[in-house]
Each structure stands twice: as C-alpha cells, then as structure tokens.
C-alpha cells in the first residue's frame, strides 16, 4: 500500500479534501468517498464513457484518472449540470427526445455532450456523431441521443442570439 | 387516453440528473463486504492443488471460501443442476470461478483473488463444434429433428439445388451495467437480495436452495437494470448466491460486482453456430424442399441452451412457407463459457439461416433477392386458400408480410436505389455499394408454456394516489411506463399519477423472467385486471350511492362522473375508504390458446407473430474490407402501440444491436480456450459514429388481431432481426466485386477481415 496523500479538488463548485492512496482512481473517490454516484462504472478501461466527467474544461474518463492528478482541479459531474427541479437544456432534451433507455450511460453521455457543445457550439450531425464516439450506449442505437444534442444546441444558440 | 401516448421513460428525470439508482449506487452499511471470484486459467482439467495462503493474507481480506468450505456446493443453473458455484475438482472452462474472496473493498477482493497458486492437471479441451461433434459431446442424447413433408424427395425432384455452410458468430451482451448483486441479512436467517436480474423469482429460488431456506424467507428486489438483453436472465444467479452465502456466514451485508473483464470471461453470450443447408427450388426461386442442420456451441453448462436452440428451429422458416422441410439441431457441449439467452433467444440464428438461403438462391438465378423472398412468403391473411402451416404445424393466420414489405419497398425507394447502386458500382472500381431488404416474422410467447403467466398488485390509497407493482423488470425498455399507462387508462388519470415501484418477490410472487419480449403483454394484462377489479368496486360503490348502475360510472381526465355529478378521483377514493371498500387488488393473466409439444415439434407455441422489415444500404472499401452502413429504413409492427416513442426506441436500438452482431462484434477464443476479446478495447460494439447516416424508422401501427393489451404487440426482440439486412447488404456489395458466377458466402460477423477475404474469393473467380 502506498502512503496516503492529501488531495484537494472542487466538485460541482464544492471544495473537498480527501486522503487517498496514490493509485486511487477519480471515479472511486467520487462514488465511494464523496457519494457522487451519477458517473457510473462501465468498463474500467476508458472505452465506454459511463464515468465521463468534466475536469478543468475537458472531458475525462474518471476510471482512468488518478485522483492525485485531479489535485487542485475543477470537476463537474452530471449532478453539477442540474437537478430534477432545474434541468439543464441538455438534460431536458435527453428526456424529451427519448435519448435514453436503461439510463446507465446517460450521465456520462450528457456530461460529454455538454463539453462538446462548449468546444463546438454549432456542431453538424456528423460532428456530434464523432464527438460522442467515446461514449457507448447499448440500448438506443444513438439516434435519439444525436437528436437530443442537436435540439439542445439549437435551443442554446437561439437563446444566445436573443441575448 | 393515456395508453398510446409517446410519453418519455418514467425515470428519465432521474436518469438525466444522475439520481436514478442502480445497485452499485445504493449506499450499504459500513461493515459491508465486497466479493470477487478467483478464476480458472485453463479450459479443461483437474485442480490438483489450491494454495490460497497469499489470498487469505492479502490486505482487507475477511474470508476466503474454497470448495472445501462447502458441505454441499450451491448450484447456479436455471435448468439442470450442472453449474456449481465454485468448480468442484474439475474445471470446465477458462474463467470458471474456483474460489470466493470477501474483503472490505471491491478492489481489495479483486487484488487478493489474483494471488492464488493453482496447480492443474490439464486435459484436452473441446473448443469448437468440430471438436464436440468428433467427441459426441452434447446435451440431450442426440440431435432434435423436426420433419414436415418429404424434403429429401422434394430436393431430388427440384429443377435447381443449392447447398452451403454458414458460420454465425456469438455476441457479448455488453449491458453497460455489469452483473451486480447485494445481500442484506435479516432477522431469523432471512435474506433480502438486491439483484440486477431479469428474473427475480429465479434468484429467489436459487438463493433459497443454496441456503436451505423456503422461498418465503428470501425477498428479491429489482428497481432497474443498466441493460439486460437476456444476459441477466440466468447469469446473475452466481453473484446473488455468493452474496447470500457469505452474508449468512459472516452476518454482514455483501455486494458483488463483476469487473467488466471478469464479466466477459465468466458469463455466457449469444450462441454461435454453424448452419448447413441444402435446398431445392424452381425457376422463380420458390423453395420446394429444404434441409437445415444447426450446430450450436452451447459451452460447458446446459443453462438455457435447449429452448434457445428450439427457438432457432421455430424461426428457421421466418416469413417463408416451406412445405417440405427438415431441421436437425445439435446442442454441443464445449469447454467454453455457457452460451445463454440473448435478445431473440435463438430466433435470430434460425432466421439468418433461411435469409442466407434466399440470398444464395437469388444469386444463382441472377434475380433480385427481394423477388425470391416474396415468391416464398406465406399467403396473406386476407387471401383465401388452404391453411399454410409452419414447419412445426402452426397455422399462420396473421401474415402481413406482403403489405408491410410493399410499403417499405415504396417508402425506402428500394427498387430505384437498387438500380442506381448497380449503375454506380459499374463506375466505381474501389468502393462498392450494396442494398438488401429482409423481412421478420417473430413468434410471441414463451415456448415453455407455463411461463406465460403474470401477476400484478395495485393499491389505491385514501388520498387517491395509486401504487403499481407487477412481476416484470425494468431494464430500460420502458416496461414500467407502459404498464403504468395501462393502469392510468383504467382509472382515467395521468400516467404520472401512478407510482411505479421496484419489482419485489414479496409483492408479486412466482414471476416469469422478463424475457421473450413478453413483458408488457403479460404484465400489462395482469395490471389491467388488478386495476379493473378496484375500479369495479369504486363504480359499484358510487352507483349504489347515486341509484344508478356501475356501467354508468365514468373514469376520465382524473375525474369520476356519475349521475350528472363529477368528483375528483381522490375524493372518490377517500369516500370508498370511509365506506370500507377494499382499494387493493391483485391481478393475474395467463396467455390463452397456446399448446406446444416440444419433443415432437408440433402445436401452437405462439399467441401471435410480430412482423417487420428493413432495408440497409452499405458501402465497402474493396482494398481494406472496411465498410459503413449508409442508410437504414425500418418498418416495424408493434400492433397498436402502447407508447410509440418507447417502441421506436426499441426498434432503433434493436436494429443497431442486430447489425452489430452480424458486422463488428467478433468473439475470438485462442487455441487454449481463452476468450481474447474480453474488453471493449477488442470487442467492438456499435458507437455513435457507426450509426447509419440516414435512419428512417416507422411503426406499422395496425392493431394486433389477437386480444392483447390495447391490441399492442411485443417489441423487445423482433426488431433485432432487422439487422440481418445489414449482413445481406454487405453480401450484395461483395457480390458486386465479381461477375455474378460466385456467391460471396459471407460468414458472420462480416468484419472488415471477412469482407476482404470474400472480395478476394470473388475476384479469384471473376
């Protein structure tokens, strides 16, 4: 066992100090120490994207990031985007456009889509397809996921234009 | 009406905010233990020594159980007692659990499980269907054979004949949430199990058996699964039993979650098989005689292999009337993971075989495969003539293939596009396109007749709120929402007014697996019956109060109308409570009309058929074999849909999963029996970027001819087989590389490698 280290990270705007082994993965810190269970464990090898969170303005797979690497980082998880009483437009569109079935991939999928729309606010369908290729869904066939993201982008852009 | 509305999934607000809880999200008491299996590293042999010293000494380890710690080894099999929880002496596949570690964390248990020193006496392993055939290693005494008419004579007389051999790969479920279970010990030795399972009653039954408890002492709860696809029909048994055993021995709560790698190494997958075919046909491509041999690789344990292989036989006809047919089915036992249920349950394997035959015949006659398919269709239900029966002697009374295919042919512009593609291919030396239209006819009902039953429990509370429970499980398919819509319709309230609760063996007992696409057919009917019982009591109560008849009491829009008066549903509920009227009821349903003699292969195993058809267009790169789906047009029959949005989601997801099975999803075992594709890095399921560029999906929308809930049809499995069109489109594109004299004979999955090899074969003859 390695020596434990003190790690400070900001998750969804809240600062947390945690004691962690050097090999501890961010996903385990979030789920087991901080009780943030929106990001799920799917494959544990960074392929499925169920654990996607936002770290310092980039999408990362929390199953292959050491929590030590997140020292000082700003992390946003699905919980930070909006709760049941105040859905983010992406969350609303995933619901309205049926962009989910079993829902296990959904938190990572929406968190990734949120970053994608920051990187590219007006994506084409093709860009959404490739921008989301690192997040697997076994249920939907992706059609409604792409629709939801396109609809969210349209609404976010319309809102921005109006402002 | 609430039924038929395209409402979103009931848990969508929870899913999009990360609040929906899966078992691994549920906080357990601080003293909970986490379990992991130690796995065998050989495919076949005897364990001669097991040194677990280092495992026991590893940090965080609380208990280690080896076969010696069991006076009687618990069994995990859903069929016959052939799946010991831990291998007892003999190892039957690489990845088989040998011992069990309990530690204070998931990672501590997994790390410790790697520290065992095992000594084996290795034996030769039977890995392939050829190995198993040579050793006559099989389940049942010999092959199951069904014959109708005299196919050998029909083939001998036929103007043309065709024969071939076709390899069809298996498929990993890759539910995003891996297998997981937890056990919470209760007073008096009782246990509560949380399990990600499609079959709570089976978990209850197996845990009770392992602990020597009556089923009444075991309660199983399932709120939701993160995907199932058949992979959670029997494969969750081992985890639940392991948790129950350790929880009972230690008095501590236990949880077991397979890491993805372990999940893929331990659990069963879709059956792969080899299909041999020999057919006689006329100049129009009409099949006069047909013989199939199915060589199923079932793995080490029987599991659900017999009914899976049966269902393949039951779908060997698909939409085609085959008066003279023989189907011979071998269920071969090999030293590999135990193949299990997977969406379609053998149906896809049976169906892809006859589609291959149609494709092959079309190539030999130089015809559009759609013409050949059509020439063999069952007669339309409306057209007069003698009854046509399936190879298992069931009358086909509801065939809508002609009209459905004609509609899809029109909306997809199939004929014109086929001509355009041929012209384009003539000018394109490197890239070739292909197109195919394939139909689906899928039988609905469990073939094990007694499983076609369901129960439900509905409560109305004194404040008018409604709680619903039934035996079906939610794995993302939207079953809970559909059944809630049915119940809301009975009471005339919004679907949102019906509280959906977790499947619980303590509320509704003796449930069937949520499988065979039967979830809404069975549970919808049972829940309707329960709700109608309560509504009848409310109506009788109000009618008496207002001096009228119960039939004149109306429930709609959240209101109850009687004798010119209108009341809130809540007010009526409260009155009824005050008047001591029971506001709780069970409901029950047993599917009518079905009878089935499995051994003879005759009867009516299905209440009805669900239909569909798909057109897929692909492009291949003839230098690399790489390929893409360019466009898919799907038309699928869900009767009068209970919820068209959920049904379309099922159709889209099923098509993509079906196309994945036949294109990119390749399972590879090495010569020692090790599955080398045991992670998503090497096993390729469709990603967002693989989605067809143009994807048109529509529902047929005509009512079921049978009396199902709301005249709807089951949707879970049938559209999976729409994916067969992707394989046939690839075959068409490969055929464009030759001069028409050779059949591509593309095996499945048609990976880039296989496509390239097929192109080379075509050019060698060209």
């Amino acid at each position: 066992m390695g020596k434990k280290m003190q790690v400070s990270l900001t998750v969804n705007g809240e600062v947390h100090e945690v004691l962690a082994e050097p090999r501890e993965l961010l996903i385990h810190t979030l789920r087991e120490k901080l009780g943030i269970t929106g990001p799920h464990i799917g494959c544990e090898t960074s392929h499925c994207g169920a654990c996607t969170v936002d770290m310092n303005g980039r999408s990362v797979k929390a199953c292959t990031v050491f929590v030590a690497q997140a020292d000082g980082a700003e992390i946003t998880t699905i919980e930070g985007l909006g709760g049941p009483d105040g859905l983010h437009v992406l969350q609303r569109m995933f619901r309205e456009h049926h962009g989910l079935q079993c829902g296990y991939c959904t938190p990572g999928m929406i968190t990734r889509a949120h970053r994608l729309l920051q990187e590219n606010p007006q994506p084409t369908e093709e860009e959404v397809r490739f921008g989301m290729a690192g997040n697997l869904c076994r249920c939907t066939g992706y059609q409604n996921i792409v629709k939801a993201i396109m609809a969210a982008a349209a609404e976010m852009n319309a809102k921005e234009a109006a402002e | 009406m609430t039924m038929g509305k395209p409402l979103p999934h009931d848990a969508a607000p929870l899913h999009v905010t990360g609040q929906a809880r899966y078992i691994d999200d549920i906080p357990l008491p601080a003293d909970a233990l986490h379990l992991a299996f130690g796995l065998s590293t050989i495919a076949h042999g005897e364990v001669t020594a097991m040194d677990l010293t280092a495992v026991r000494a590893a940090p965080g380890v609380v208990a280690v159980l080896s076969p010696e710690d069991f006076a009687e080894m618990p069994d995990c099999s859903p069929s016959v007692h052939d799946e010991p929880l831990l291998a007892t002496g003999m190892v039957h596949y690489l990845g088989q659990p040998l011992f069990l570690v309990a530690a204070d964390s998931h990672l501590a248990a997994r790390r410790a499980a790697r520290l065992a020193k095992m000594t084996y006496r290795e034996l030769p392993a039977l890995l392939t269907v050829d190995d198993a055939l040579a050793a006559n290693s099989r389940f049942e005494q010999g092959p199951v054979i069904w014959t109708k008419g005299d196919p050998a004579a029909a083939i001998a007389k036929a103007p043309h004949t065709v024969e071939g051999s076709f390899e069809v790969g298996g498929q990993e479920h890759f539910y995003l949430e891996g297998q997981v279970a937890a056990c919470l010990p209760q007073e008096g030795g009782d246990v509560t199990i949380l399990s990600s399972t499609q079959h709570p009653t089976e978990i209850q039954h197996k845990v009770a058996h392992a602990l020597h408890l009556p089923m009444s002492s075991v309660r199983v709860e399932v709120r939701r699964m993160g995907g199932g696809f058949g992979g959670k029909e029997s494969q969750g048994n081992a985890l639940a039993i392991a948790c129950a055993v350790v929880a009972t021995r230690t008095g501590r709560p236990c949880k077991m979650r397979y890491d993805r790698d372990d999940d893929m190494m331990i659990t069963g997958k879709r059956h792969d098989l080899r299909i041999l075919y020999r057919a006689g046909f006329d100049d129009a491509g009409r099949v006069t005689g047909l013989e199939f041999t199915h060589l199923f690789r079932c793995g080490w344990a029987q599991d659900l292999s017999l009914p899976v292989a049966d269902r393949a036989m039951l779908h060997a006809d698909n939409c085609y009337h085959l008066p003279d047919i023989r189907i011979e089915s071998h269920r071969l036992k090999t030293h590999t993971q135990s193949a299990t249920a997977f969406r379609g349950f053998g149906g896809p394997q049976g169906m892809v075989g006859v589609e291959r035959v149609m494709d092959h015949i079309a190539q030999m006659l130089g015809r559009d495969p759609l013409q050949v398919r059509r020439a063999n269709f069952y007669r339309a239900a409306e057209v007069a003539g003698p009854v046509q029966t399936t190879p298992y002697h069931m009358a086909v009374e509801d065939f809508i293939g002609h009209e459905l295919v004609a509609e899809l042919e029109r909306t997809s512009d199939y004929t014109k596009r086929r001509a355009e593609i041929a012209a384009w291919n003539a000018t394109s030396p490197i890239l070739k396109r292909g197109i195919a239209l394939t139909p689906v006819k899928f039988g609905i009902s469990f073939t094990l007749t007694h499983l076609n039953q369901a129960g439900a429990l509905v409560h109305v509370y004194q404040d008018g709120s409604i709680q619903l429970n039934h035996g079906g499980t939610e794995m993302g398919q939207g079953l809970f929402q559909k059944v809630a819509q049915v119940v809301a319709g009975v009471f005339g309230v919004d679907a949102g007014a019906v509280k959906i609760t977790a499947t619980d063996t303590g509320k509704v007992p003796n449930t069937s697996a949520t499988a065979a696409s039967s979830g809404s057919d069975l549970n919808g009917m049972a829940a309707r019956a329960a709700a109608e019982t309560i509504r009848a009591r409310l109506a009788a109560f109000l009618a008496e109060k207002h001096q009228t008849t119960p039939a004149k009491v109306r429930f709609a829009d959240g209101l109850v109308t009687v004798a010119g008066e209108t009341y809130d549903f809540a007010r009526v509920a409260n009155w009824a409570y005050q008047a001591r009227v029971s506001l709780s009821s069970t409901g029950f349903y047993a599917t009518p009309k079905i009878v089935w003699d499995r051994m003879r292969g005759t009867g009516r195993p299905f209440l009805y058929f669900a239909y569909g058809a798909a057109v897929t267009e692909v492009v291949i790169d003839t230098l690399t074999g790489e390929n893409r789906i360019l466009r898919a047009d799907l038309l699928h029959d869900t009767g009068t849909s209970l919820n068209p949005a959920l049904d379309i989601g099922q159709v889209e997801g099923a098509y993509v999963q079906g196309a994945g099975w036949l294109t990119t999803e390749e399972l590879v075992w090495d010569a020692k029996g090790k599955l080398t594709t045991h992670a998503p890095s090497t096993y390729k399921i469709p990603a967002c970027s693989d989605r067809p560029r143009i994807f048109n999906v529509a529902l047929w929308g005509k009512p079921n001819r049978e009396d199902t809930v709301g005249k709807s049809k089951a949707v879970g499995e049938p559209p999976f087989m729409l994916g067969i069109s992707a394989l046939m489109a690839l075959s068409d594109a490969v055929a464009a590389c030759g001069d028409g004299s050779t059949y591509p004979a593309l095996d499945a999955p048609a990976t880039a490698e296989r496509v390239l090899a097929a192109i080379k074969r075509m050019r060698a003859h060209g």
Side-chain angles (χ1 to χ4, degrees), chain B residues 141-389:
Chain B
Q141 298 302 306
V144 175
I145 301 169
W146 297 345
T147 308
K148 187 184 162 198
D150 188 349
I155 293 169
K157 277 193 305 201
H160 312 278
T161 60
V162 61
E163 60 187 302
S165 169
F166 179 29
E167 303 285 336
V168 181
Q171 186 176 29
E172 162 64 33
H173 302 83
F174 212 89
Y175 25 62
L176 260 277
E177 178 211 35
Q179 304 281 347
V180 57
C183 175
L184 306 169
Q186 306 294 314
E187 63 179 27
D190 291 0
V191 292
T192 295
I193 305 283
L194 308 176
S195 170
S196 183
T197 179
Q198 293 171 237
H199 201 346
T201 290
E202 179 76 2
I203 296 279
Q204 180 193 23
H205 170 222
K206 299 307 290 190
V207 166
H209 184 262
L211 299 182
H212 303 288
L213 290 174
M215 285 172 77
S216 56
S217 291
V218 179
R219 189 172 75 79
V220 179
E221 186 183 307
V222 185
R223 174 57 188 89
R224 62 171 60 80
M225 283 162 270
F229 315 115
K232 293 176 180 170
E233 190 167 339
S234 63
Q235 302 299 296
N237 294 356
L239 299 90
I241 292 168
C243 286
V245 166
V246 178
T248 302
R249 291 188 185 204
T250 61
R252 293 166 69 171
C254 289
K255 179 161 78 175
M256 186 172 211
R257 172 173 72 75
Y258 286 166
D259 161 86
R260 179 63 59 179
D261 227 62
D262 287 353
D263 199 315
M264 293 182 77
M265 291 303 283
I266 297 169
T267 65
K269 296 136 203 348
R270 181 185 296 284
H271 290 72
D272 56 56
L273 79 164
R274 181 184 300 151
I275 301 172
L276 308 175
Y277 57 93
R278 192 167 81 94
F281 56 97
D282 65 16
D283 293 340
R286 205 170 296 117
V287 175
T288 52
L290 182 55
E291 292 172 348
F292 277 122
T293 304
H294 292 166
L295 302 172
F296 273 99
R297 203 168 64 118
C298 300
W300 73 285
Q302 185 169 306
D303 192 2
L304 302 167
S305 291
L306 307 190
V308 165
D310 286 354
R311 192 169 271 266
M313 299 172 81
L314 291 164
H315 288 81
D317 60 333
N318 194 15
C319 291
Y320 313 115
H321 182 229
L322 305 165
D324 293 274
I325 180 166
R326 180 177 188 277
I327 311 164
E328 178 177 317
S329 172
H330 297 254
R331 295 88 195 265
L332 301 165
K333 187 174 178 176
T334 52
H335 295 109
T336 48
Q337 289 83 351
S338 177
T340 191
F342 195 140
R343 201 176 202 170
F345 206 73
Q349 290 96 317
M351 204 179 285
V352 77
V354 75
E355 290 306 328
R356 163 66 172 259
V357 171
M358 294 296 152
D359 196 54
H360 200 163
I361 290 172
Q363 179 271 328
M364 288 178 69
L365 293 174
R367 281 174 179 260
D368 176 349
L370 178 57
Q371 289 174 2
V372 173
R373 292 191 162 96
R374 218 172 229 147
N376 286 287
F377 273 178
Y378 284 103
R379 198 176 45 247
E382 290 75 17
V383 176
V387 174
Q388 290 183 332
T389 61

Side-chain angles (χ1 to χ4, degrees), chain A residues 1 23 28 31 37-38 40-45 47-48 50 78-79 82-84 87 91 94-95 98 100-104 106-107 110 125-126 129-130 132-133 136 138-144 146, chain B residues 6-9 12-13 15-18 22 24-25 107 111 171-174 176-177 225-227 229 257 259-260 475-476 645 649-650 652-653 656-657 665 680-681 685-689 691 693 695:
Chain A
M1 290 296 106
R23 65 189 290 174
H28 294 134
R31 292 179 54 83
T37 55
H40 294 132
I41 296 176
C43 72
E44 295 165 276
T45 49
H47 288 92
C48 81
I78 187 72
E79 288 90 344
L87 295 184
Q91 293 172 316
F94 266 71
R95 175 180 178 273
H98 315 281
L100 59 92
Q101 285 178 28
C102 86
Y104 201 79
T106 310
I110 294 178
E125 251 197 69
E126 191 76 1
R129 278 194 205 113
F130 284 91
M132 298 300 298
L136 299 178
R138 190 53 152 167
C139 299
T140 64
Y142 304 101
Q143 175 86 335
N144 289 339
V146 174
Chain B
L7 299 177
H9 194 283
H15 287 308
V16 300
T17 53
Y22 302 84
D24 200 36
D25 300 336
L107 288 178
R111 281 175 201 150
Q171 186 176 29
E172 162 64 33
H173 302 83
F174 212 89
L176 260 277
E177 178 211 35
M225 283 162 270
F229 315 115
R257 172 173 72 75
D259 161 86
R260 179 63 59 179
M475 60 196 101
Q650 285 297 297
E652 289 172 356
V656 169
Q657 200 174 64
E665 298 188 32
S681 51
I685 71 165
C688 195
S689 44
R691 199 180 66 114
R693 298 305 183 256
F695 200 4

Side-chain angles (χ1 to χ4, degrees), chain B residues 408-444:
Chain B
L408 180 67
E409 186 185 10
R410 189 182 63 74
T411 57
S412 68
D413 221 358
Y414 169 84
T415 308
K416 190 166 146 226
R417 283 166 61 207
R418 188 172 164 79
E420 278 170 8
I421 288 167
W424 186 86
N425 281 343
T427 66
S428 174
I430 307 294
L431 300 180
K432 298 285 183 191
R433 282 153 67 195
I435 190 168
L437 188 159
T438 59
V440 170
K441 163 180 139 288
F442 192 79
I444 302 298

